[in-house]
Amino acid sequence: MIFDKEMIEQVYAALPGKIEYVKSVLRRPLTLTEKILYAHLASDETLKAYERGTDYVNFNPDRVAMQDATAQMALLQLMNSGRQKVAVPSTVHCDHLIQAHVDAKSDLATANVTNREVYDFLSAVSNKFGIGFWKPGAGIIHQVVLENYAFPGGMMVGTDSHTVNAGGLSMIAIGVGGADAVDVMAGLPWELKMPKLIGVKLTGKLSGWASPKDVILTVAGILTVKGGTNAIIEYFGEGTESLSATGKGTICNMGAEVGATTSIFPFDAKSAAYLEATGRAEVAALAMKNKEYLQADPEVLANPEKYYDRLIEINLSELEPHVNGPFTPDLAYTISEFGKAVKEKGYPQKMEVGLIGSCTNSSYEDLTRAVSVVKQAKENGLKVNAQFIINPGSEQVRYTAERDGIIAEFESVGGVVMANACGPCIGQWKRDIDVPERPNSIITSFNRNFAKRADGNPNTHNFIGSPEIVAALTIAGDLCFNPLKDTLTNDKGEQVKLTEPKGYELPAKGYAVDDPGYVAPVEDGSKMKVVINPESNRLQKLEPFKPWDGKDFVELPLLIKVKGKCTTDHISMAGPWLRFRGHLDNISDNMLIGAVNFFNDKTNSVLDAETGEYSAVPALARKYKSQGIGSVVVAEENYGEGSSREHAAMEPRHLNVKAILVKSFARIHETNLKKQGMLALTFANKDDYGKIKENDKISILGLSAFAPGKNLIIELKHSDGSTEQFEAVHTYNNAQIEWFKAGSALNELMK
């Protein structure tokens, strides 16, 4: 089945003319990224050479995708938009709320009971607004999108940071907050700062134990978690042609971990083969006819340094498997360096759990390469020395893998196959361990490994590798095992060396599935009623935020001065809190409880200046709110890194935090704050972070003259009565300033 066939045909019919016109106006060759972006300019947007990293530009994406945790808030906002039906094809995917514990069958049954109210809500809203609905168990949103919706040359937004996965099929796919998704679903232009371009030239060809995952683990080590901020990573070179479509998806997927707006690969024969294998031969044929428009121009490829803002070159033939971590996805080691690092840094060497899956690595190819390692180990008398968990990416992948004997091979060595869902990757893992808080090591094929993310234990050292490396280390039970050169002792006392993994990009018998899990919306949803129980603790009707009162913010208390990394996991934890994603007041009780207080090195412990006692962050914010007082949050670099969850912006807004003042923001989070009517400010001089004291009163001055490019003044009033001032920078344009004045972008939309 080809979804959105008419829309795709329209995109391809217009693509050549649009790109040729752009080239005639700009008078230069184009990168692939530029071709797709300029071809999706909003109809009233002036065509010109936009300045990368500076100019805000309006686009018209082709479609929207939402996962169940973020869809709740997005759809609650859509219900307030006045829209009767979505303007572009949109889908909801139920993949985040299924907790991994026992096995796929048991966990899915539990999820269908515990989350029934939310699933019913999402289904009802989908019917009302004409949104496609993928049931629990259908698969992880990004794998399902790659199999069914991604198409070369298209543009989409999704309410999940790993929407970028679709770049593996030459699509500009960008993670956004729910408010941005509502704009697109409402038929409004969607705004994005024109990204800079990072070109990654791939030469050579992967071999041995090296995999596509090792490409992005290498890039993460080069760029770090903020090196790709406000940039799109475009891969090119002959090396791209040897990578499978799902392998390219893996690389694009984890580009979110370097802060990239998205990543993209050129269309090629591998892309066409995947489209054909997933029942989209007509799309493959259309893309093939437009192949020159789905690659960078030859002049760009010949002289890439002229067209990209930064250039990286990786020889795939020389690439060694990597393991990254712990606690951050950009701490990169080659497998030959990793064992030494484990010992030198004192990481727990015993490997306790290996987890294969997540939206990054749960394709048919991933499972076949991993199971080839498992199979040869079993045949050579080796036992698996750690717990083994597998999450297939979709029901289509799982069904096909079961048919081909792959699932049975995993289970034969004690592997437990969980539901086709995110599970442990997002903290949805009920892990049974003997001492919950003891230091321990796990290795995953996931994308993120922040402290507490997988199992809630701050002492779990989570390392990231390819599925085949995860399989090898799980068999060994030892982080220092290097499958490229080390041996293991089998049940006969013999030394066994694992040979390189073998896999299949596409199933030889084709993909198969009994029930993919898709439910089409009813033809006419206008009479559908969406009922939210006012007594529910899972869902809550959204009330508009209050507009700005026209005054400066004067002498606001400091809520928290955050020390070190502060991701959206720190601001609004997932795991057990996912059940409140549709209830803003309830989920606000997790606001910033994972952030470290600069003044006492503790989490969820901040000074109440009135009493002199320490309080939980949400409790203190609620106290200030009840007194009609706002507050300020101060933090360091790359604030809001990680997930696109807009709850991390909505919770402070709900609890009357007026401004977030940081050294730098992650892209999605800064936009989310703006959308919710918050002040997102950065220090003009990062050293001014050090001036803020625990019991300061903070004023933000100059709001009456709030204008693009004009700094605001921060005034600190210290407890001794002294004051000092410094400047704060912002990136608001005129439209975004109107969001602030109206109280939120949605309020402005409803005017």
Side-chain angles (χ1 to χ4, degrees):
M1 177 180 178
I2 299 178
F3 291 95
D4 313 326
K5 183 179 177 182
E6 183 178 343
M7 177 269 285
I8 294 171
E9 289 173 341
Q10 290 173 353
V11 170
Y12 283 130
L15 193 64
K18 285 183 176 181
I19 292 175
E20 291 300 336
Y21 178 62
V22 171
K23 291 170 71 172
S24 71
V25 173
L26 300 188
R27 297 184 179 181
R28 64 172 176 81
L30 298 176
T31 64
L32 171 59
T33 298
E34 290 173 319
K35 289 180 180 181
I36 301 176
L37 287 179
Y38 277 99
H40 284 84
L41 287 178
S43 57
D44 59 351
E45 194 74 18
T46 302
L47 176 57
K48 64 177 185 178
Y50 292 102
E51 186 175 348
R52 298 175 188 168
T54 300
D55 289 341
Y56 283 92
V57 187
N58 286 325
F59 297 95
N60 286 138
D62 300 310
R63 72 176 323 275
V64 174
M66 298 164 279
Q67 40 95 333
D68 51 355
T70 53
Q72 295 172 64
M73 199 57 69
L75 296 182
L76 285 165
Q77 292 175 85
L78 179 64
M79 290 168 63
N80 287 347
S81 71
R83 185 83 191 182
Q84 299 302 309
K85 191 173 183 178
V86 291
V88 300
S90 304
T91 48
V92 168
H93 304 257
C94 296
D95 64 349
H96 272 54
L97 299 180
I98 303 169
Q99 186 181 57
H101 182 213
V102 180
D103 56 35
K105 184 177 180 180
S106 301
D107 295 345
L108 184 57
T110 299
N112 276 321
V113 173
T114 58
N115 300 316
R116 175 52 52 201
E117 180 184 14
V118 173
Y119 293 151
D120 287 347
F121 167 76
L122 295 174
S123 177
V125 179
S126 294
N127 269 324
K128 184 172 183 62
F129 289 93
I131 298 169
F133 182 74
W134 289 81
K135 298 183 296 184
I140 303 172
I141 176 173
H142 312 302
Q143 180 64 30
V144 173
V145 166
L146 198 70
E147 291 174 1
N148 296 277
Y149 297 108
F151 68 97
M155 183 178 187
M156 69 174 286
V157 297
T159 59
D160 189 286
S161 56
H162 294 103
T163 300
V164 296
N165 190 81
L169 270 181
S170 312
M171 191 176 203
I172 292 289
I174 300 175
V176 299
D180 277 346
V182 170
D183 281 351
V184 179
M185 289 189 289
L188 298 175
W190 173 66
E191 183 185 71
L192 176 72
K193 183 183 287 185
M194 183 60 81
K196 293 187 176 182
L197 296 182
I198 298 173
V200 179
K201 183 178 182 180
L202 300 181
T203 60
K205 187 176 181 179
L206 292 173
S207 62
W209 284 84
S211 74
K213 184 64 165 278
D214 299 307
V215 176
I216 188 58
L217 293 177
T218 300
V219 171
I222 294 169
L223 290 176
T224 77
V225 291
K226 58 179 290 189
T229 302
N230 290 323
I232 290 179
I233 302 174
E234 182 174 321
Y235 293 86
F236 66 96
E238 71 274 12
T240 64
E241 298 173 4
S242 65
L243 301 174
S244 68
T246 53
K248 291 167 184 169
T250 292
I251 295 168
C252 292
N253 180 293
M254 203 173 156
E257 293 1 291
V258 300
T261 301
T262 192
S263 302
I264 191 166
F265 275 84
F267 173 77
D268 58 22
K270 298 278 191 180
S271 314
Y274 184 75
L275 287 167
E276 291 167 355
T278 51
R280 294 172 287 171
E282 291 177 65
V283 177
L286 286 170
M288 194 62 72
K289 289 180 181 178
N290 288 276
K291 188 174 182 180
E292 67 176 289
Y293 302 108
L294 301 173
Q295 301 175 339
D297 283 332
E299 299 91 334
V300 173
L301 300 178
N303 297 285
E305 66 281 353
K306 293 183 178 180
Y307 301 95
Y308 297 100
D309 299 291
R310 179 173 179 178
L311 199 58
I312 296 170
E313 186 166 342
I314 297 174
N315 185 341
L316 300 179
S317 301
E318 299 174 355
L319 196 64
E320 185 178 344
H322 276 61
V323 178
N324 287 23
F327 308 129
T328 185
D330 60 342
L331 185 57
Y333 301 97
T334 62
I335 193 70
S336 58
E337 300 168 333
F338 181 57
K340 180 181 178 183
V342 168
K343 293 179 178 178
E344 288 180 348
K345 297 181 182 295
Y347 300 144
Q349 185 173 336
K350 180 183 178 183
M351 216 288 290
E352 301 194 23
V353 191
L355 301 108
I356 291 174
S358 90
C359 60
T360 317
N361 279 109
S362 54
S363 68
Y364 185 84
E365 180 182 22
D366 291 325
L367 296 185
T368 58
R369 282 179 65 84
V371 86
S372 75
V373 178
V374 170
K375 188 175 181 180
Q376 62 166 298
K378 185 178 72 171
E379 290 172 348
N380 283 281
L382 294 172
K383 293 182 179 180
V384 175
N385 287 293
Q387 187 180 0
F388 204 6
I389 295 174
I390 300 94
N391 285 77
S394 70
E395 176 58 13
Q396 180 167 265
V397 166
R398 188 212 63 79
Y399 189 98
T400 305
E402 182 176 55
R403 179 201 66 189
D404 294 346
I406 295 166
I407 299 297
E409 284 289 349
F410 280 124
E411 292 176 335
S412 72
V413 297
V416 177
V417 178
M418 297 294 185
N420 313 318
C422 302
C425 183
I426 57 163
Q428 281 286 59
W429 182 22
K430 187 176 180 181
R431 183 182 176 192
D432 298 321
I433 53 177
D434 52 354
V435 185
E437 295 300 309
R438 66 176 170 78
N440 68 100
S441 290
I442 66 175
I443 185 165
T444 77
S445 69
F446 303 164
N447 41 51
R448 293 191 178 133
N449 57 349
F450 306 136
K452 300 185 182 182
R453 182 171 174 92
D455 62 1
N457 182 358
N459 296 307
T460 293
H461 294 60
N462 185 350
F463 299 91
I464 301 174
S466 67
E468 45 268 58
I469 290 295
V470 171
L473 269 62
T474 303
I475 292 163
D478 184 352
L479 279 183
C480 293
F481 173 66
N482 179 355
L484 277 68
K485 64 182 184 65
D486 295 340
T487 59
L488 296 170
T489 305
N490 70 6
D491 53 6
K492 297 179 181 178
E494 301 166 335
Q495 295 302 299
V496 176
K497 185 176 184 298
L498 297 173
T499 58
E500 65 183 60
K502 303 290 184 183
Y504 302 91
E505 294 181 10
L506 300 169
K509 300 178 184 177
Y511 286 105
V513 66
D514 185 16
D515 176 12
Y518 176 71
V519 181
V522 297
E523 282 294 320
D524 181 9
S526 61
K527 296 180 181 179
M528 290 285 300
K529 290 186 178 180
V530 180
V531 179
I532 297 175
N533 183 350
E535 302 300 317
S536 172
N537 69 353
R538 296 288 301 268
L539 296 167
Q540 180 187 47
K541 184 179 178 181
L542 273 181
E543 298 296 334
F545 292 126
K546 292 181 180 179
W548 175 54
D549 64 6
K551 301 176 182 178
D552 285 342
F553 297 141
V554 179
E555 295 191 10
L556 303 180
L558 172 71
L559 181 62
I560 183 173
K561 180 178 178 178
V562 181
K563 178 180 179 181
K565 185 185 283 284
C566 193
T567 71
T568 50
D569 282 64
H570 296 85
I571 306 166
S572 176
M573 288 184 179
W577 290 95
L578 282 171
R579 67 187 185 276
F580 297 130
R581 283 286 181 86
H583 197 295
L584 181 55
D585 192 57
N586 281 350
I587 200 169
S588 292
D589 282 335
N590 79 358
M591 185 190 76
L592 285 161
I593 63 175
V596 176
N597 184 352
F598 176 89
F599 298 104
N600 62 8
D601 284 326
K602 295 181 179 179
T603 58
N604 206 23
S605 176
V606 289
L607 178 67
D608 182 338
E610 183 181 53
T611 65
E613 298 178 350
Y614 282 85
S615 170
V617 182
L620 184 57
R622 288 187 186 277
K623 175 182 175 180
Y624 289 146
K625 180 180 179 180
S626 70
Q627 297 172 344
I629 300 171
S631 59
V632 177
V633 170
V634 174
E636 297 199 65
E637 299 281 5
N638 210 28
Y639 181 81
E641 167 194 345
S643 170
S644 69
R645 67 190 67 151
E646 65 183 340
H647 299 77
M650 296 185 80
E651 291 173 34
R653 183 74 171 96
H654 177 64
L655 296 185
N656 210 30
V657 175
K658 298 297 186 183
I660 311 289
L661 175 62
V662 303
K663 293 182 180 179
S664 66
F665 284 104
R667 176 193 64 85
I668 298 176
H669 189 64
E670 182 180 22
T671 300
N672 286 346
L673 289 168
K674 291 177 178 180
K675 284 279 186 175
Q676 301 304 332
M678 293 279 289
L679 272 182
L681 306 175
T682 56
F683 293 98
N685 180 353
K686 294 181 181 182
D687 291 340
D688 289 333
Y689 169 87
K691 295 178 180 178
I692 296 171
K693 299 178 181 178
E694 192 169 22
N695 51 6
D696 279 350
K697 299 291 186 182
I698 304 172
S699 298
I700 302 172
L701 310 176
L703 288 174
S704 60
F706 195 10
K710 186 175 182 179
N711 291 354
L712 296 172
I713 301 299
I714 306 296
E715 182 176 271
L716 305 178
K717 184 176 181 181
H718 302 306
S719 58
D720 62 4
S722 64
T723 62
E724 58 182 316
Q725 292 185 344
F726 55 83
E727 292 189 359
V729 177
H730 68 84
T731 60
Y732 288 75
N733 58 27
N734 285 318
Q736 294 167 347
I737 290 172
E738 293 305 312
W739 300 345
F740 167 74
K741 291 178 178 178
S744 71
L746 188 58
N747 288 358
E748 181 67 15
L749 170 65
M750 291 299 294
K751 280 185 176 179

